[in-house]
Amino acid sequence: MTVHRSVLDAVGGTPLIQLNRITAGLAAAVHVKVEFANPGGSVKDRAALAMVREAERLGHLQPGGVIVEGSSGNTGVGLAMVAAQHGHRAIVVVPDTIAREKVALLRAYGAEVVQTIGKLPREHPEHVNNLARRIAAETPGGWHANQYDNPANPRVHELTTGPEIWEQTDGRVTHLVAGIGTGGTISGTGRYLKQHGVTVVGADPVTSVYSGGDGSPYFVESIGHYLHPSTVDDVWPESFDRGVIDRFERIADRESLAVARRLAREEGLLVGGSAGTAVAAALRVAAELGPEHVVVAILPDSGRSYLSKYFDDDWMTQLGFLDAPDGPFVRDAVQEHGLAVAHAGQSLAAVLDVHSDGLVAVVTPRDSDTPTRSAPEVIGVVEPAALRALVAADPHRSDDDVTAHAGPAPVAVGAGENLAAAKARLAGDVPVLVLVDGRAVTVVARNALEQVPVASR
Ligand SMILES: Cc1ncc(COP(=O)(O)O)c(C=O)c1O
């Protein structure tokens, strides 16, 4: 009989699949480890099962206990699946930025979901991990899985994922490519494969601090390291062994999402955004290599969790990752002036020293030399002319924090959105933030969209 004793015995042993069409023209082979084939739907089943087994063995998690974890979804699903089999409860703290499919999935498994703000300083009590730790401490029988620092997370990949890839390629694998969230996957798998001379490549969002980015928000979920500007002490997960990585490939959201979408259409592999990042990096690596090389990329989860995001053309277009099928487009009507910015916390006097007209985006302060700003960091918009009038009427106001005068967050439109469709979404005379690749490139008054499109002048 080949019947598994429970769903948990089906964790791991995932297929390795050769890419055929997206790799056209490349000499090296690119194979993908399809971790969405795990029963809970992601690579995280491995870590979840390993962490629970270890906690039970050590007595940290008692029978009928409560598993608590901060998770962007997949670890929570894995833990909820294990909890169902082992007779525990699962409470999962998730950031409000994750795809709604993941929240629905957690609830479907019977997990209790606690949502918190996704972009908070690490020290903030409501930060995902701090909140999970607190709930675990305050809940009788509570145990915080803490995938970020739990050695059972990387260890299971050293014991399973790494050896599986070595055996599945008959020892021919030369390069491993994976994204880094907690770092468990790349650290454990990489540690095993490095003993066999395999080169380990970290696939990282360009603004992630892991590979030297400014830490500003990006739109691929579950990988990279975001840094809130008010974080005092940025600590990286203990699950991440930086020494295992030989090199990074830094991948922009646009490329990650385009590759994820191509994998579905050209290879029949419906995968999430972080798989797109990994394959985009693998394609770059493979392009430098000859036919004797085998590149293996880890595909952490399925695109089914992101149908409302990366596979939704409206979502992609409104964030400036995709053009609508027909123009005229927003970019045809808007004169791009560049983005005028003021930092939250600046005084009106300081803002008026620099800006005299137009509209100015009030943004989260961040040391950055990029002329654009990640959309979630635009807090509101001010009009210097109005601020000047205010200060003229009452000079004391010149010390006010500009944030107090920023209107509500502006409505964002994609530069490649159909102009009429974008206008239809705007209610009233709101300022309009124009996005390219999820980043604000300019802010204009609504009537800017009424101008005759440049293309038809
Ligand atoms: C979709 C997805 N991709 C990548 C990762 C990163 O894996 P790791 O935490 O092992 O670095 C995760 C982890 O949660 C994930 O859910």
Side-chain angles (χ1 to χ4, degrees):
M1 292 243 293
T2 52
V3 178
H4 292 308
R5 283 164 303 163
S6 87
V7 67
L8 303 183
D9 283 354
V11 172
T14 52
L16 190 66
I17 296 176
Q18 178 184 310
L19 297 183
N20 299 302
R21 298 186 58 204
I22 206 169
T23 46
L26 298 178
V30 179
H31 296 169
V32 290
K33 185 79 169 147
V34 293
E35 289 297 302
F36 60 74
N38 281 299
S42 87
V43 67
K44 286 297 172 171
D45 286 3
R46 296 180 192 258
L49 181 57
M51 291 191 295
V52 170
R53 282 191 174 145
E54 184 67 355
E56 288 173 342
R57 193 180 68 79
L58 295 171
H60 298 157
L61 178 63
Q62 297 290 333
V66 185
I67 300 170
V68 188
E69 181 65 322
S71 163
S72 59
N74 285 328
T75 306
V77 167
L79 289 168
M81 178 181 76
V82 182
Q85 266 297 320
H86 284 210
H88 302 298
R89 261 172 73 202
I91 302 178
V92 184
V93 182
V94 299
D96 55 6
T97 43
I98 66 167
R100 63 171 181 269
E101 290 89 334
K102 285 184 176 169
V103 175
L105 262 173
L106 285 164
R107 296 207 169 107
Y109 274 98
E112 293 156 58
V113 179
V114 179
Q115 298 216 36
T116 187
I117 299 168
K119 308 274 181 245
L120 287 174
R122 190 180 164 275
E123 291 82 5
H124 196 285
E126 302 297 307
H127 181 278
V128 176
N129 294 340
N130 300 333
L131 187 55
R133 186 172 296 112
R134 193 167 78 237
I135 292 173
E138 290 171 357
T139 306
W143 166 70
H144 182 206
N146 194 14
Q147 56 175 333
Y148 288 91
D149 304 317
N150 190 326
N153 169 12
R155 195 187 309 122
V156 73
H157 293 288
E158 193 170 355
L159 294 175
T160 67
T161 321
E164 284 173 27
I165 292 170
W166 185 249
E167 281 157 30
Q168 286 169 313
T169 58
D170 286 333
R172 291 182 54 235
V173 55
T174 56
H175 292 73
L176 169 74
V177 185
I180 308 137
T182 66
T185 306
I186 201 164
S187 304
T189 312
R191 213 174 286 149
Y192 177 85
L193 291 175
K194 269 181 106 78
Q195 299 166 14
H196 296 287
V198 170
T199 301
V200 178
V201 182
D204 206 35
V206 274
T207 62
S208 159
V209 287
Y210 282 150
S211 57
D214 65 6
S216 62
Y218 41 87
F219 289 84
V220 170
E221 285 183 26
S222 303
I223 53 167
H225 193 70
Y226 159 78
L227 180 63
H228 191 285
S230 306
T231 292
V232 179
D233 191 12
D234 184 34
V235 176
W236 289 9
E238 285 174 27
S239 297
F240 178 33
D241 177 0
R242 170 69 183 80
V244 124
I245 294 191
D246 294 302
R247 68 185 246 209
F248 280 105
E249 284 296 334
R250 303 177 66 195
I251 312 287
D253 283 336
R254 171 178 284 257
E255 191 177 346
S256 295
L257 302 183
V259 170
R261 289 164 63 101
R262 284 185 64 196
L263 282 165
R265 290 163 195 207
E266 295 175 35
E267 300 281 352
L269 286 164
L270 184 65
V271 294
S274 66
T277 311
V279 172
L283 294 176
R284 283 194 199 169
V285 170
E288 300 168 356
L289 301 172
E292 68 282 17
H293 291 98
V294 175
V295 180
V296 171
I298 309 264
L299 309 191
D301 72 352
S302 162
R304 287 186 186 210
S305 295
Y306 310 94
L307 294 179
S308 67
K309 286 186 159 185
Y310 318 138
F311 297 95
D312 178 345
D313 286 359
D314 289 340
W315 187 91
M316 290 286 288
T317 307
Q318 288 169 15
L319 282 168
F321 288 120
L322 198 69
D323 279 3
D326 306 304
F329 303 108
V330 166
R331 75 167 74 85
D332 296 327
V334 171
Q335 308 289 324
E336 247 189 59
H337 314 289
L339 187 69
V341 295
H343 286 173
Q346 274 187 316
S347 68
L348 297 191
V351 174
L352 289 172
D353 260 357
V354 183
H355 302 287
S356 51
D357 54 11
L359 293 177
V360 175
V362 180
V363 301
T364 311
R366 182 178 285 286
D367 276 343
S368 180
D369 49 14
T370 57
T372 63
R373 296 287 156 159
S374 184
E377 296 201 328
V378 178
I379 296 163
V381 172
V382 289
E383 202 180 339
L387 297 183
R388 213 167 29 248
L390 198 76
V391 171
D394 179 0
H396 294 299
R397 308 306 292 267
S398 64
D399 293 333
D400 284 6
D401 180 342
V402 66
T403 322
H405 297 277
V411 176
V413 302
E417 250 189 284
N418 174 280
L419 189 56
K423 282 194 285 195
R425 290 202 297 119
L426 304 173
D429 194 17
V430 287
V432 178
L433 203 60
V434 181
L435 305 186
V436 173
D437 296 349
R439 298 182 69 92
V441 295
T442 195
V443 58
V444 294
R446 190 205 190 283
N447 65 16
L449 298 190
E450 300 300 341
Q451 289 163 18
V452 183
V454 179
S456 44
R457 265 178 221 156

